Amino acid sequence: MFNRTTFFVGISLLAALGLKACDERRFITLPDGTTSIKVGSIFSTDAEHWTVTVKNKYGRSSDRMFAIGDNPRLNIYLTSSGQLVVIGKGGEELFFRVPSKAGPIVLNGQQAKLRDRHSETWHYVGVIENRALTHNAECIPLMGEGRSPYRKQFQSEHSC
């Protein structure tokens, strides 16, 4: 016999599982094979932001940066101290500590003092453009107004 409640609960469960699977597919696995990154957008009343989520098998952590334009260009770096650094358009940066046996941790606020600021030793992984990791040449677009203390030799005054 047809039970409407069971039917709608079943459909809702399938929809939720489909959304979760779709959300997981948006993660890009980095070359280390254990760390993944996802970029999304947030619209608020004052501005648009890119949300960057980093995950490994122990957990995930997110932070956000001001969105310049409608398509992110995010340079991705790994440090020898186990950090993942993201530098976006305008030179804005995000730092995550990615321990080998714990979930990622955003390094902002009080944690910012732990950031590996020696960018000359960072390993360039690639750039996220059009929601995909590419191995295009390293370039940090400052968009005429931005600044960054990191990777100065790869900065472009305007765009890349």
Side-chain angles (χ1 to χ4, degrees):
M1 182 162 175
F2 180 74
N3 181 328
R4 287 179 66 110
T5 304
T6 303
F7 175 77
F8 286 115
V9 168
I11 292 296
S12 297
L13 181 60
L14 284 174
L17 289 172
L19 287 173
K20 180 169 177 46
C22 183
D23 183 56
E24 291 301 312
R25 279 195 303 261
R26 293 183 189 173
F27 276 93
I28 299 166
T29 302
L30 298 181
D32 69 359
T34 62
T35 307
S36 299
I37 187 168
K38 177 177 75 168
V39 181
S41 58
I42 295 177
F43 298 97
S44 63
T45 56
D46 61 336
E48 181 180 355
H49 293 89
W50 298 119
T51 299
V52 177
T53 303
V54 176
K55 76 171 188 167
N56 62 15
K57 68 180 183 177
Y58 298 101
R60 64 178 70 193
S61 189
S62 298
D63 203 356
R64 65 185 198 167
M65 65 173 47
F66 186 72
I68 298 176
D70 28 335
N71 193 6
R73 179 186 167 86
L74 305 173
N75 289 274
I76 309 298
Y77 305 90
L78 294 173
T79 74
S80 59
S81 60
Q83 295 180 17
L84 184 142
V85 182
V86 179
I87 300 180
K89 291 179 181 175
E92 189 169 356
E93 71 273 342
L94 301 177
F95 285 75
F96 296 85
R97 186 166 58 97
V98 187
S100 60
K101 297 192 184 221
I105 300 164
V106 176
L107 297 177
N108 61 16
Q110 293 288 357
Q111 298 286 322
K113 64 185 174 208
L114 302 174
R115 292 176 172 183
D116 179 346
R117 299 182 190 278
H118 303 288
S119 67
E120 66 279 356
T121 65
W122 297 351
H123 170 72
Y124 175 66
V125 174
V127 62
I128 295 178
E129 293 180 293
N130 299 317
R131 309 273 194 235
L133 180 66
T134 69
H135 299 287
N136 292 342
E138 182 176 357
C139 179
I140 300 168
L142 297 180
M143 309 306 287
E145 296 289 328
R147 290 173 178 67
S148 177
Y150 307 110
R151 308 296 283 190
K152 289 189 181 280
Q153 68 271 31
F154 298 103
Q155 295 177 15
S156 172
E157 185 177 334
H158 295 289
S159 60
C160 297

